Amino acid sequence: MLRSIAFIGLIALLQSCWAETPESYLLKTHSPPSDLNFMPTLGNGHVGYTVFGDAIFMNGVYNGAGGNSKRARIPNWMNISTEACDRFGCATGSDVVNGTSYEMDLRDGCFRVLTTYRSLGISVEQRTYPHKFYNRALVYEVVANRLANRNSRINSPKYLRLTQFAGNSSDAFDFVVVNNGSSSSGDYRTLRGRTKVVENEKFQPDPQEIFVLFSESLEQPLELQWPTWQDQLSHRVILTIDRDESVARKELQDVLQLSSRNLLQNHTQAWNSFWDNEFSIEIKGDALELSQIVNAGIFYIVSSLPSLKSNQKNEPFFGLSPTGLGRGDLESDYQGHNFWDTEIWMLPVVTLFGLDYAKELLGYRSRKLEAAKYHANATGYKGARFPWESAYTGAEVTNPCCPEVAEQEIHISPDISFALQRFFAQSNDSEWTCETAWPITAEVADFLVSRATCDDSSSTCHLLNVMGPDEDHPNVNDNVYTNAVAKIALNFAEWLAKHCGNASTERTEKWRVVSDGLVILHDEGLNYHPEYEGYVRNTIIKQADAILLGYPLNFDTSSAHINDLRFYANVTRESGPAMTWSMFAANYIRNYQLTLANEYFERGYRSYVRPEFKVWSETPMGYDGSANFLTGIGGFLQALIFGYGGVDFGRTGDDQFLMILGVSLTPPNVEEVFINSIPYGKAKCTLRFKSRSSEIGCYDRIGKGFQMAQGPKRTILGRSFNLTRRNEDPPIEISLLR
């Protein structure tokens, strides 16, 4: 009877992670990718790792000076493998029934490996996950079941052998054992690690320190005896990591008080709550693969974001790098640094997950404002100049390979201001904006004024010796994207000065002069925007640049922009990053060119997503590039939501900050798309769109309600509404009543 009860409990434990998961959330394969960089990357905003990889990384922990700074690698002590053995030896591949199954459950946040051994008559499940609530904890569990069989070998005593494959010693930390742990004393093996090299002595006088606690040591393989009378055998290994030893210790103590079932259930409930209450996209039609790619993309981004609810208070968040928290010690991982990728490519999607997630990302820029001001001064300018790459200190950490990038890609500073404007349009949070966004936008505006070269006789201003998003062309003048986003940043700073009541007339007048004078190149004869002064048509470029004046900047949507799409589509190199094609798609949709939109939308993901676990690469298959490329995911999801879905947030010419609902279409083989949560101010909205219409509904339980504008018509909507828009109707503009 006891064995039966234990078995029932085990089945319940297994079901909680995988049995009822919808197919669109379950990724399975019998053949892992040949390049293990494309295994799933798991995380919870505090720690992260790639399955079967040799590294764990912790939020904000870097090692190395200047451009040599990179995420500090912690050996992956959670990379554990279990063998099933008996007195005749351990099972081999020939014993496996139907192959080993490798499964990523996106809905529950678990990765598992399931193997059935014919000769031993057992099945073994191995499961690993970084806990979403107990976010200092990493969990490995193994559960083995006996199968009904009378074979004599099957009935013989067995044992499980657990072996750790943590990789080489860390080159980033000096680890020392501060407590060996003792089962008799109930204490835990504890390591203290100190990084070897500080990033920037001005902003980081001392190395960083972390503590790693183990539920048990696996320095040597662990053998778990399995008596013949026992139907199932389970075991778990847990480690916790934090800067504060007492925090890591409490986390381990709290986790070990829970049964395996309750610990897993707590984790899966946190993930289920995200999908059910915070954000998800449901796709109807013959589009299972697309649904899986969408869900995987959301999962991989969220895995690098801090948990909004955790057992202990979170540390400050140090940003969302192109390949996420679980990667970062390789140059192809961009060393875990922060770029414009955060604000332009990922933040618009992250904000849909919840405004608090966006504040975590933007809060990093706020905390590093002093470093940006120092960087501006050190390079001969005023205000705040955010570095092209930043990490722990906020100082410039661009790789020494590429000094021209650090010197010339100044657009990252106005990119941040643009992101703050967009966030204000969606959040309508004046208090946060005046306290946090205003200081950034004002200092960025001062930097742009000091960086611009103006000619009083012609009332024109120029940004000289710059590099735009197209990094194939350095040292150019008046890159059209850079100048356009700079104009937006200057205009928003001026508006925000009035809104927050914080700037002198003399200061804002300088901003206005430069904004009005900045040159936006336009070829009158061909009616398009040359990417930079002297650009020769048909010159090959790296990635989306001038076309971004449409979406996301909403700076120019005239016929010139349509020509930009046509001209630059033919000269963008095939090896360009994934988000380039997604931006072509989003902009073609807004211009009612569905055939081209569909072509570029599919081009933006099909050759970039590895099939097994829907992990993205920065470049198409056949080219070298980053794995777990969140930047590409961000562009792809923007194309789906803000392109096909037709929804957007922005500022109009008359200084209104609105939610806008325009033309909606659907990708190939998709009948309908439903987004379960879009935050707007303190309201929660849903969006459903089809190929010729869309429906939006919002409920504002705290505010004063909404106003709708459609053409000349203005309508007060109250605190909740449902609206349907057909594609032949004028766009709907929705504002929050104050």
Side-chain angles (χ1 to χ4, degrees):
M1 177 62 72
L2 290 176
R3 285 184 289 173
S4 298
I5 293 173
F7 184 74
I8 292 170
L10 171 66
I11 293 300
L13 173 64
L14 295 178
Q15 286 179 337
S16 66
C17 186
W18 57 273
E20 298 179 0
T21 300
E23 195 174 5
S24 59
Y25 287 88
L26 188 61
L27 310 176
K28 300 194 297 184
T29 182
H30 290 289
S31 301
S34 57
D35 183 349
L36 294 181
N37 284 304
F38 293 97
M39 291 297 291
T41 296
L42 310 180
N44 54 25
H46 181 74
V47 287
Y49 60 97
T50 298
V51 173
F52 299 159
D54 68 350
I56 297 171
F57 299 107
M58 180 177 158
N59 167 46
V61 181
Y62 293 81
N63 180 70
N68 293 311
S69 173
K70 60 183 179 180
R71 289 201 193 276
R73 175 183 165 267
I74 304 165
N76 189 359
W77 290 297
M78 296 307 292
N79 188 16
I80 300 169
S81 181
T82 295
E83 296 175 281
C85 310
D86 65 7
R87 62 190 177 87
F88 300 103
C90 296
T92 63
S94 61
D95 295 315
V96 176
V97 178
N98 296 327
T100 295
S101 180
Y102 303 86
E103 305 187 1
M104 182 67 238
D105 188 322
L106 303 168
R107 182 165 174 80
D108 285 352
C110 301
F111 180 83
R112 75 186 195 96
V113 179
L114 181 61
T115 309
T116 298
Y117 297 99
R118 178 186 297 105
S119 63
L120 296 180
I122 63 172
S123 65
V124 178
E125 178 187 1
Q126 302 173 73
R127 184 188 308 118
T128 182
Y129 58 95
H131 206 284
K132 192 163 176 59
F133 178 74
Y134 295 98
N135 62 354
R136 273 73 173 180
L138 303 173
V139 182
Y140 171 86
E141 297 173 335
V142 58
V143 182
N145 297 317
R146 291 188 187 276
L147 305 176
N149 199 304
R150 296 183 179 180
N151 182 289
S152 60
R153 184 180 175 189
I154 289 175
N155 294 324
S156 68
K158 297 176 179 60
Y159 62 91
L160 301 182
R161 177 186 290 155
L162 279 64
T163 305
Q164 192 177 72
F165 298 92
N168 296 328
S169 299
S170 174
D171 62 353
F173 289 98
D174 289 316
F175 279 108
V176 296
V177 178
V178 295
N179 192 324
N180 251 324
S182 168
S183 57
S184 59
S185 66
D187 212 340
Y188 313 109
R189 177 175 170 80
T190 303
L191 302 183
R192 182 186 65 222
R194 288 197 179 109
T195 54
K196 297 182 178 182
V197 183
V198 300
E199 183 176 284
N200 182 293
E201 292 182 352
K202 177 176 177 58
F203 296 103
Q204 184 193 353
D206 301 308
Q208 298 196 66
E209 186 174 76
I210 67 167
F211 291 87
V212 185
L213 275 70
F214 302 79
S215 62
E216 63 184 297
S217 174
L218 259 69
E219 289 184 293
Q220 300 296 324
L222 174 66
E223 294 187 356
L224 303 173
Q225 297 302 316
W226 190 1
T228 55
W229 55 265
Q230 192 172 327
D231 287 338
Q232 56 91 11
L233 178 65
S234 63
H235 193 76
R236 64 181 179 178
V237 179
I238 297 166
L239 66 83
T240 58
I241 308 175
D242 198 82
R243 299 176 195 271
D244 187 328
E245 182 180 6
S246 65
V247 171
R249 181 174 300 277
K250 182 181 186 306
E251 197 85 338
L252 186 54
Q253 291 171 338
D254 291 349
V255 164
L256 291 176
Q257 288 178 1
L258 299 174
S259 67
S260 291
R261 179 182 181 183
N262 288 341
L263 181 64
L264 176 62
Q265 188 175 52
N266 185 293
H267 170 74
T268 58
Q269 285 176 345
W271 267 109
N272 292 173
S273 178
F274 170 81
W275 295 111
D276 294 339
N277 303 315
E278 295 181 42
F279 190 78
S280 65
I281 298 177
E282 180 183 353
I283 297 175
K284 293 184 178 180
D286 183 17
L288 175 61
E289 182 185 32
L290 180 61
S291 293
Q292 290 178 331
I293 291 171
V294 167
N295 291 334
I298 296 169
F299 175 83
Y300 293 132
I301 291 178
V302 175
S303 293
S304 285
L305 297 175
S307 299
L308 298 182
K309 295 180 181 179
S310 56
N311 184 45
Q312 300 183 77
K313 183 179 179 181
N314 288 334
E315 294 186 333
F317 188 57
F318 284 85
L320 188 59
S321 59
T323 60
L325 177 56
R327 303 186 64 85
D329 63 339
L330 303 176
E331 288 191 11
S332 61
D333 296 325
Y334 294 103
Q335 299 163 287
H337 296 168
N338 297 287
F339 294 74
W340 76 312
D341 303 47
T342 303
E343 282 76 20
I344 297 300
W345 299 112
M346 294 182 274
L347 183 64
V349 175
V350 169
T351 307
L352 298 180
F353 301 164
L355 301 180
D356 287 340
Y357 288 109
K359 288 180 179 179
E360 291 282 354
L361 296 188
L362 294 168
Y364 169 77
R365 298 299 190 185
S366 176
R367 293 193 304 276
K368 302 307 175 187
L369 180 58
E370 289 305 311
K373 291 164 68 175
Y374 175 83
H375 183 47
N377 181 263
T379 53
Y381 302 105
K382 298 178 181 179
R385 178 184 183 180
F386 284 90
W388 179 241
E389 300 183 31
S390 62
Y392 177 62
T393 64
E396 178 65 79
V397 291
T398 296
N399 192 300
C401 73
C402 313
E404 71 282 359
V405 175
E407 294 166 5
Q408 298 173 24
E409 286 214 60
I410 64 169
H411 63 81
I412 187 169
S413 294
D415 288 340
I416 293 168
S417 293
F418 170 71
L420 289 165
Q421 174 179 289
R422 184 184 175 100
F423 178 73
F424 177 70
Q426 186 171 351
S427 70
N428 265 251
D429 190 336
S430 289
E431 181 180 357
W432 184 91
T433 299
C434 290
E435 288 181 359
T436 303
W438 158 250
I440 297 174
T441 56
E443 295 292 346
V444 167
D446 287 344
F447 164 67
L448 292 171
V449 168
S450 70
R451 182 62 171 76
T453 300
C454 294
D455 182 349
D456 293 339
S457 64
S458 61
S459 298
T460 58
C461 295
H462 307 269
L463 291 173
L464 307 177
N465 306 118
V466 301
M467 180 189 295
D470 170 22
E471 293 168 330
D472 284 354
H473 294 93
N475 201 32
V476 301
N477 297 333
D478 290 328
N479 168 258
V480 69
Y481 172 87
T482 302
N483 286 17
V485 76
K487 272 181 172 283
I488 293 171
L490 290 161
N491 289 336
F492 183 53
E494 183 181 356
W495 182 89
L496 209 54
K498 298 174 185 176
H499 182 72
C500 299
N502 284 327
S504 68
T505 303
E506 180 182 1
R507 191 183 190 191
T508 57
E509 179 61 26
K510 291 180 180 178
W511 300 345
R512 186 182 308 114
V513 167
V514 174
S515 174
D516 290 346
L518 272 175
V519 170
I520 301 297
L521 298 173
H522 178 246
D523 186 310
E524 298 290 341
L526 297 173
N527 189 25
Y528 88 110
H529 296 99
E531 186 180 279
Y532 50 84
E533 180 65 41
Y535 174 78
V536 177
R537 275 197 61 200
N538 297 324
T539 298
I540 300 298
I541 65 173
K542 176 185 176 182
Q543 65 183 71
D545 191 311
I547 71 161
L548 302 178
L549 268 62
Y551 180 84
L553 296 188
N554 293 318
F555 183 86
D556 187 345
T557 56
S558 67
S559 58
H561 172 60
I562 298 174
N563 286 334
D564 289 343
L565 294 172
R566 181 163 54 89
F567 290 164
Y568 291 110
N570 295 322
V571 297
T572 304
R573 57 180 165 99
E574 291 184 359
S575 61
M579 63 278 188
T580 284
W581 315 118
S582 296
M583 289 303 98
F584 274 104
N587 281 285
Y588 276 128
I589 290 165
R590 291 178 171 219
N591 287 284
Y592 301 92
Q593 298 185 47
L594 181 58
T595 300
L596 286 170
N598 290 343
E599 175 188 334
Y600 280 96
F601 181 69
E602 293 200 343
R603 185 175 180 180
Y605 73 87
R606 288 208 177 276
S607 62
Y608 292 85
V609 178
R610 298 306 189 262
E612 297 87 0
F613 299 109
K614 314 306 180 192
V615 175
W616 283 67
S617 172
E618 178 183 15
T619 53
M621 295 180 189
Y623 295 91
D624 293 333
S626 305
N628 196 46
F629 192 53
L630 304 186
T631 306
I633 296 172
F636 162 75
L637 291 174
Q638 285 191 62
L640 177 63
I641 299 163
F642 304 114
Y644 284 104
V647 68
D648 203 0
F649 298 90
R651 178 184 177 196
T652 64
D654 57 355
D655 288 336
Q656 294 292 310
F657 291 84
L658 306 167
M659 177 166 64
I660 303 160
L661 190 63
V663 62
S664 67
L665 301 165
T666 54
N669 303 315
V670 173
E671 299 170 5
E672 178 182 291
V673 178
F674 176 68
I675 302 173
N676 74 340
S677 181
I678 297 177
Y680 182 34
K682 295 181 179 178
K684 179 178 179 179
C685 304
T686 61
L687 176 66
R688 187 184 307 275
F689 58 93
K690 302 179 182 180
S691 61
R692 297 182 58 83
S693 66
S694 58
E695 178 182 334
I696 191 165
C698 297
Y699 173 60
D700 186 357
R701 63 183 179 85
I702 297 176
K704 297 181 179 179
F706 308 88
Q707 175 178 278
M708 180 189 78
Q710 191 169 26
K713 184 180 179 181
R714 299 288 186 273
T715 306
I716 302 298
L717 298 174
R719 290 169 60 182
S720 66
F721 68 85
N722 280 284
L723 296 173
T724 299
R725 180 193 176 276
R726 298 169 300 174
N727 280 349
E728 56 266 30
D729 297 335
I732 295 175
E733 297 178 345
I734 300 169
S735 57
L736 291 163
L737 295 175
R738 297 181 179 275

